[in-house]
Amino acid sequence: MNPETKQVSQHMKEFGLHILGRAIYDATFSEMTRPFAHMLSVVHAAHGAEILIKARIAEEHPLLIFKSYPKSNTTKDVLSIKELFKYGRTLIYSELPEVLWATTGYRIKELDRYQKFGDLRNIIVHFSAAPDCEPSTETLKFALEVLDYIVQDFWGESLIYYSQEWDDAIISDGYLQEQIDRLNIQVHPDTQKQIEVLTLP
């Protein structure tokens, strides 16, 4: 294996966490002066989930996130990242939970919610249709009740730190906590403690 492929999982992890931070940010605040921000939060959250699960699979081996690979006649040497990107095809969102389980033994506890959120993302992206639900609510519930638990299990981290990258007031001034309380979101206990520590008195 080309040594540069070993960097894939770390890069994907960081990118996925930052995308999810953006999704939480977009879903927390009003859409005023930010058209479609709440619908985009769904797109970002689903994309971030896909990348993070691929990142965890890629920690086992980067080629496990691919369902088709470059052919040996496309390269004269060891398989490179460039050739993987050009000729390879990665798994899609709906396929990832089974591959995650097969490669790591990890079962997504809220599998039905994971798949339904992917369906919601598809409605928005492929049909440009407004869903019959509140997108910001769906994003916050998915990010904090499903994905944050997965991220805690994988890496002992919380998504809330990455939401602060877009606006540190989201935690310190209590905006996210307001939404958590209003929507009765069941936050991971460790994440809740971190929110409390970061919130201004």
Side-chain angles (χ1 to χ4, degrees):
M1 182 174 72
N2 192 313
E4 66 183 3
T5 61
K6 294 180 180 179
Q7 301 169 11
V8 168
S9 61
Q10 183 61 31
H11 176 75
M12 293 179 79
K13 174 189 170 187
E14 289 300 314
F15 189 46
L17 289 169
H18 281 85
I19 290 173
L20 278 157
R22 178 66 195 217
I24 292 169
Y25 165 79
D26 280 339
T28 299
F29 294 107
S30 165
E31 285 187 300
M32 190 179 301
T33 75
R34 301 182 312 132
F36 302 109
H38 289 175
M39 285 174 63
L40 281 168
S41 74
V42 173
V43 177
H44 291 321
H47 189 198
E50 181 176 348
I51 291 173
L52 284 178
I53 293 172
K54 285 179 179 176
R56 179 61 190 92
I57 294 168
E59 286 180 345
E60 301 299 313
H61 195 293
L63 293 182
L64 292 172
I65 64 174
F66 288 85
K67 58 183 173 183
S68 67
Y69 308 98
K71 305 296 183 194
S72 59
N73 62 6
T74 64
T75 181
K76 296 175 183 174
D77 200 358
V78 178
L79 181 62
S80 71
I81 290 286
K82 183 178 179 181
E83 286 152 343
L84 271 175
F85 292 162
K86 185 172 183 180
Y87 300 108
R89 295 291 174 267
T90 61
L91 299 162
I92 62 172
Y93 182 97
S94 60
E95 297 169 327
L96 291 171
E98 289 300 315
V99 177
L100 177 68
W101 168 77
T103 56
T104 69
Y106 186 90
R107 295 177 188 267
I108 295 178
K109 299 173 188 71
E110 298 276 2
L111 182 57
D112 188 53
R113 290 179 71 184
Y114 170 87
Q115 297 292 12
K116 284 181 178 176
F117 196 82
D119 294 339
L120 176 60
R121 175 256 180 207
N122 289 342
I123 289 169
I124 291 171
V125 169
H126 297 299
F127 302 103
S128 300
D132 59 355
C133 60
E134 175 48 55
S136 62
T137 298
E138 297 303 315
T139 294
L140 289 173
K141 284 183 169 284
F142 178 67
L144 296 172
E145 292 183 343
V146 178
L147 286 180
D148 193 59
Y149 281 79
I150 292 172
V151 170
Q152 290 277 7
D153 287 345
F154 286 173
W155 299 295
E157 292 191 58
S158 175
L159 297 176
I160 63 156
Y161 288 113
Y162 297 89
S163 67
Q164 290 185 124
E165 294 289 321
W166 301 98
D167 186 343
D168 56 9
I170 191 172
I171 307 294
S172 63
D173 290 1
Y175 294 111
L176 182 58
Q177 187 64 60
E178 279 180 25
Q179 297 293 351
I180 289 169
D181 294 341
R182 182 178 69 84
L183 300 171
N184 193 29
I185 293 173
Q186 304 303 305
V187 178
H188 190 286
D190 291 343
T191 296
Q192 187 58 52
K193 287 176 188 173
Q194 291 162 1
I195 290 172
E196 290 166 6
V197 167
L198 294 168
T199 303
L200 293 173

